[in-house]
Amino acid sequence: MPDPAPPGSEATASDTASEFLDTTITRPRTGTAVLEVEGEVDTLTAPRFSSAVDELMSSHEPTLVVDLSGVTFLASSGLAVLIQAARRAEERSARLRLVAATRAVRRPLEITGTDQLFDMHENVHDATGGDD
C-alpha cells in the first residue's frame, strides 16, 4: 500500500490512480497499436484506463490490442470500459484484440460473456499477428 500524502500536501484521485495502474501505448509493427495495462482496474483507476483506451481507439491503425497480461484485478468498471471499446471498434469495422492470459482477467470476461466481444489471445505476439 502506498504511503499517504505528507501533511500539507494534497494527493488527487489521478495521482492515486497512477500508483495502482500504468498504461503505455506502443506500435510494435506497422498498422498495429498495443495498449499495455499493468495493475488493478477498478472504480478508482477506471477513468485512467478509459483515457488510455480512448487514446488507443483514436489511433488509425487497423489492429488494436489491449494487453491485460499485467492486470491483477479487473472490476466491472473495467469491463464497462472494454465493452464500450468493443462497440467503438465495431463502428469502424474492426474487432478489438485482448491479451487475457491470467485468471484475474479471463474469469470476469467469461462469467459475463464479455469475452465474446473480443478476439482473445494468450500473448501479445499472437494478438499482433505473430511473424509476418
Side-chain angles (χ1 to χ4, degrees), residues 15-121:
D15 294 339
T16 304
S18 67
E19 292 178 22
F20 295 105
L21 187 75
D22 273 336
T23 60
T24 306
I25 293 180
T26 60
R27 288 171 175 76
R29 58 179 32 173
T30 303
T32 302
V34 177
L35 170 61
E36 297 175 44
V37 185
E38 291 188 12
E40 300 174 4
V41 181
D42 57 19
T43 304
L44 178 67
T45 61
R48 182 178 173 94
F49 180 50
S50 181
S51 293
V53 169
D54 286 346
E55 184 179 342
L56 176 71
M57 297 305 298
S58 67
S59 71
H60 298 291
E61 283 81 9
T63 302
L64 302 174
V65 178
V66 179
D67 177 8
L68 300 171
S69 58
V71 171
T72 57
F73 180 75
L74 180 63
S76 60
S77 51
L79 289 174
V81 171
L82 290 171
I83 291 166
Q84 182 63 25
R87 290 183 182 139
R88 288 177 62 190
E90 187 177 350
E91 288 172 3
R92 62 186 259 193
S93 299
R95 195 159 147 106
L96 193 58
R97 299 176 183 187
L98 294 186
V99 176
T102 65
R103 181 174 169 79
V105 172
R106 195 171 280 280
R107 187 76 174 137
L109 290 166
E110 290 171 348
I111 287 173
T112 60
T114 308
D115 60 329
Q116 300 303 308
L117 299 173
F118 309 99
D119 290 333
M120 304 285 284
H121 298 274

Side-chain angles (χ1 to χ4, degrees), residues 2-12 15-16 19:
D3 293 330
S9 70
E10 294 182 29
T12 65
D15 294 339
T16 304
E19 292 178 22

